[in-house]
Amino acid sequence: MSIAGHLTEIRNSLPENVKLVAVSKTKPNEDIMEAYQTGQRIFGENKVQELVGKYESLPKDIEWHMIGHLQRNKVKYIAPFVSLIHGVDSFRLLKAIDKEGRKQERVLRVLLQFHIAEEQTKFGLSLEEAEEMLNSQEFKNLQFVRIDGVMGMATFTDVIDQVRREFKSLSTIFGQLKETYFSDAPNFSEISMGMSGDYKLAVEEGSTMVRIGSNIFGERNYQNN
Ligand SMILES: *Cc1c(COP(=O)(O)O)cnc(C)c1O
């Protein structure tokens, strides 16, 4: 099936309130344009250099989401245009984003990434770390970041109960943070969870934003992506 065909099928399977981030990492501009022609406007990338290159060469009404691990010294390259940064996994990174937002006079939208998987390799905050940050005066002084919700990645496994449990834990974290810290912040509304292999489960557990790559564009050619 074509990219357009895959997109239609996936969109039809998603409830209306769930946003689709088309994960285009490693894929050429032609593939992105094929998706663009069908109306897709949100694309996700996980490498800064690739993201900047694609931003520069593709239509300016694309909303670019940084979905991968972000190094503090690279925030400056994406701060002028990035639409949402999914993977904020430390206070230091959030402060670096605030600093670059200030330089650009742009409030940068971010999601807090939580460690919900059993795998050690995945990045993310614990609820305790997040609360410590949110309670701090230093956090309250930040003016150029806006936290729009949470993000997480489940363990890469076929054990459905485990994946479901991990997604549930992210929904619970979202609810707790919303109640305690963001009850008067309507923008705190996103739960970014679910990829090609597990997005249907994620939607059942409350995802508002799924990040789908290979189901749209086909398998990627190299590892570690
Ligand atoms: C690559 C990637 C995805 C998409 O993965 P697929 O399995 O190809 O859908 C989603 N989220 C993140 C953070 C990724 O790095």
Side-chain angles (χ1 to χ4, degrees), residues 94-107:
L94 189 71
K95 285 186 272 190
I97 295 170
D98 182 75
K99 189 171 146 203
E100 296 304 326
R102 180 179 294 276
K103 285 189 202 159
Q104 299 293 330
E105 297 182 42
R106 253 190 114 212
V107 175

Side-chain angles (χ1 to χ4, degrees), residues 23 25 46 67 151 153 195-196 211-214 220 225:
V23 176
K25 61 192 186 191
N46 71 339
I67 61 168
M151 179 264 200
M153 289 168 87
M195 309 176 21
S196 290
R211 310 176 308 268
I212 301 183
S214 35
R220 288 174 295 274
N225 275 290

Side-chain angles (χ1 to χ4, degrees), residues 123-225:
F123 295 101
L125 297 159
S126 66
L127 183 58
E128 294 68 37
E129 287 167 330
E131 292 193 305
E132 192 180 317
M133 174 176 92
L134 295 169
N135 285 326
S136 72
Q137 190 55 45
E138 209 181 352
F139 170 75
K140 290 170 191 149
N141 291 340
L142 302 181
Q143 292 178 328
F144 290 89
V145 285
R146 191 180 90 184
I147 300 179
D148 277 2
V150 301
M151 179 264 200
M153 289 168 87
T155 304
F156 190 71
T157 172
D158 289 336
V159 184
I160 287 176
D161 286 349
Q162 181 178 354
V163 174
R164 188 184 289 287
R165 185 164 10 98
E166 292 173 359
F167 285 149
K168 227 185 254 301
S169 75
L170 188 61
S171 282
T172 303
I173 288 170
F174 171 84
Q176 287 170 337
L177 295 181
K178 176 94 194 157
E179 191 179 312
T180 313
Y181 301 95
F182 297 99
S183 55
D184 55 2
N187 58 282
F188 187 86
S189 60
E190 302 291 357
I191 304 178
S192 166
M193 60 184 187
M195 309 176 21
S196 290
D198 56 21
Y199 77 91
K200 288 184 180 157
L201 271 177
V203 167
E204 285 172 19
E205 295 306 330
S207 173
T208 66
M209 202 176 254
V210 292
R211 310 176 308 268
I212 301 183
S214 35
N215 278 13
I216 299 172
F217 297 107
E219 293 298 325
R220 288 174 295 274
N221 291 329
Y222 44 93
Q223 299 260 297
N224 300 322
N225 275 290

